[in-house]
C-alpha cells in the first residue's frame, strides 16, 4: 500500500525557534496533502491543505504566518512552525490522498513537537 | 456542514468480549466512511472502509456496515484482544468535501486480560 513518511518523528526545541516538519509520499505523487494537529486525547484538527505549485489553504483560526506550508514537489510538503511557543507543542500529522482511491487518504506516522 | 459523531470513551473490556463503537454522520451527497486506529505514539492506520450504502468493511475481525437509512457506521468485533487496545476514529470523506476528512472525537479502547 501507499506510504507517507514524516520527518522528524519527534523534536524538542526552545521557545522562539522555528521547526520544519517534512511530509513525503514515498511511492505515489500527491498534488494535495493535508496537515492536522492533534492535542492529547483529542481528535485531529485540520490545519491546512497543501497544494503543489500554489499557496496552501488554511482553516479558519490557523495563523498562516505562524504555520508556513510549502508544497515543493509532488512528493514533498513541509510545515514550518515559526517562532514556536509552548502552546504549539502538539502532535502534527500529514496525510495524502491517492487519486481515484475513493477519497482514501494515507497518514504519516506523525511528528511530536515539544517546545520548551 | 459534514460531521461525525462518535461514541465517547473510554471503553474498557475484558479479553474476548464483544465490542461496539457507535458512529453516526451528517453529510451532503454520498460520502465514503472510514475507521482508523491509532496505537499509542503512532499515526493513524486505516482499519476498514465503505464507499457506498450497505457496503460492509472488514479487517482483522472488525466490521462496520454503511447504513444510509440510519446514517451510521458502527464498528464491531466479536472477540477483542489485548492487542486491540488503541484509539479508534470514525471519519468521512466525499466529493463534496474536496478530499478533506472529518473525524469523530475518537474512542479509547482498553482491553484487559
Amino acid at each position: 500500500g501507499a506510504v507517507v513518511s514524516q520527518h522528524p518523528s519527534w523534536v524538542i526545541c526552545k521557545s522562539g525557534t522555528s521547526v520544519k516538519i517534512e511530509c513525503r509520499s514515498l511511492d505515489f505523487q500527491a498534488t494535495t496533502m493535508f496537515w492536522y494537529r492533534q492535542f492529547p486525547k483529542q481528535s485531529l484538527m485540520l490545519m491546512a491543505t497543501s497544494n503543489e505549485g500554489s499557496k496552501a489553504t488554511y482553516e479558519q483560526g490557523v495563523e498562516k504566518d505562524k504555520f508556513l506550508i510549502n508544497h515543493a514537489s509532488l512528493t514533498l510538503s513541509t510545515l514550518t512552525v515559526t517562532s514556536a511557543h509552548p502552546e504549539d507543542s502538539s502532535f502534527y500529522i500529514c496525510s495524502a490522498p491517492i487519486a481515484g482511491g475513493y477519497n482514501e487518504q494515507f497518514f504519516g506516522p506523525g511528528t511530536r513537537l515539544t517546545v520548551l | 456542514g459534514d460531521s461525525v459523531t462518535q461514541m465517547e470513551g473510554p471503553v474498557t473490556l475484558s479479553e474476548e468480549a464483544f465490542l461496539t463503537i457507535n458512529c453516526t454522520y451528517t453529510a451532503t451527497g454520498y460520502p465514503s466512511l472510514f475507521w482508523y486506529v491509532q496505537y499509542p505514539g503512532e499515526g493513524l492506520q486505516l482499519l476498514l472502509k465503505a464507499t457506498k450504502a450497505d457496503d460492509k468493511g472488514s479487517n482483522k475481525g472488525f466490521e462496520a456496515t454503511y447504513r444510509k437509512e440510519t446514517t451510521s457506521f458502527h464498528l464491531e468485533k466479536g472477540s477483542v484482544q489485548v492487542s486491540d487496545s488503541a484509539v479508534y476514529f470514525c471519519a468521512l470523506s466525499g466529493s463534496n468535501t474536496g478530499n478533506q476528512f472529518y473525524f469523530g472525537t475518537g474512542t479509547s479502547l482498553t482491553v484487559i486480560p
Side-chain angles (χ1 to χ4, degrees):
Chain A
V3 177
V4 174
S5 70
Q6 280 184 243
H7 178 80
S9 55
W10 60 270
V11 57
I12 301 173
C13 69
K14 293 182 178 180
S15 185
T17 61
S18 294
V19 174
K20 180 185 286 188
I21 302 170
E22 293 184 348
C23 176
R24 293 182 185 274
S25 56
L26 296 186
D27 49 3
F28 66 101
Q29 294 183 334
T31 57
T32 302
M33 291 183 175
F34 299 95
W35 286 97
Y36 296 85
R37 183 173 181 176
Q38 184 182 30
F39 291 102
K41 299 185 179 181
Q42 294 188 27
S43 189
L44 281 71
M45 181 191 77
L46 179 65
M47 298 175 64
T49 302
S50 173
N51 305 297
E52 191 270 335
S54 64
K55 292 182 179 180
T57 305
Y58 291 83
E59 295 300 300
Q60 192 172 9
V62 178
E63 300 174 60
K64 61 180 66 176
D65 295 330
K66 172 78 169 174
F67 299 99
L68 299 179
I69 291 174
N70 181 29
H71 201 133
S73 73
L74 288 172
T75 58
L76 173 64
S77 175
T78 60
L79 168 67
T80 301
V81 183
T82 63
S83 187
H85 288 93
E87 57 266 29
D88 300 323
S89 299
S90 191
F91 195 51
Y92 293 87
I93 301 174
C94 70
S95 72
I98 288 187
Y102 295 101
N103 298 305
E104 183 175 345
Q105 294 197 27
F106 294 89
F107 287 80
T111 296
R112 173 76 59 192
L113 170 63
T114 301
V115 184
L116 302 177
Chain B
D2 293 2
S3 66
V4 175
T5 302
Q6 189 174 339
M7 174 178 133
E8 289 194 20
V11 174
T12 302
L13 295 173
S14 297
E15 205 165 23
E16 299 184 1
F18 184 85
L19 168 71
T20 299
I21 301 178
N22 290 338
C23 172
T24 57
Y25 68 91
T26 301
T28 54
Y30 303 94
S32 296
L33 301 174
F34 305 84
W35 277 100
Y36 281 86
V37 59
Q38 185 179 34
Y39 297 100
E42 299 184 12
L44 272 69
Q45 300 175 28
L46 178 64
L47 180 60
L48 53 86
K49 66 180 180 183
T51 58
K52 61 182 186 298
D54 300 325
D55 267 3
K56 177 186 283 189
S58 62
N59 184 28
K60 299 180 181 179
F62 290 90
E63 292 183 342
T65 301
Y66 190 160
R67 301 285 188 200
K68 190 172 185 295
E69 63 275 16
T70 55
T71 62
S72 65
F73 193 55
H74 305 321
L75 181 68
E76 297 182 336
K77 186 174 185 181
S79 176
V80 293
Q81 306 300 313
V82 172
S83 57
D84 294 327
S85 299
V87 180
Y88 293 82
F89 291 94
C90 185
L92 72 82
S93 179
S95 57
N96 291 339
T97 71
N99 272 333
Q100 289 184 16
F101 267 48
Y102 293 88
F103 286 90
T105 53
T107 301
S108 175
L109 169 66
T110 300
V111 181
I112 55 177

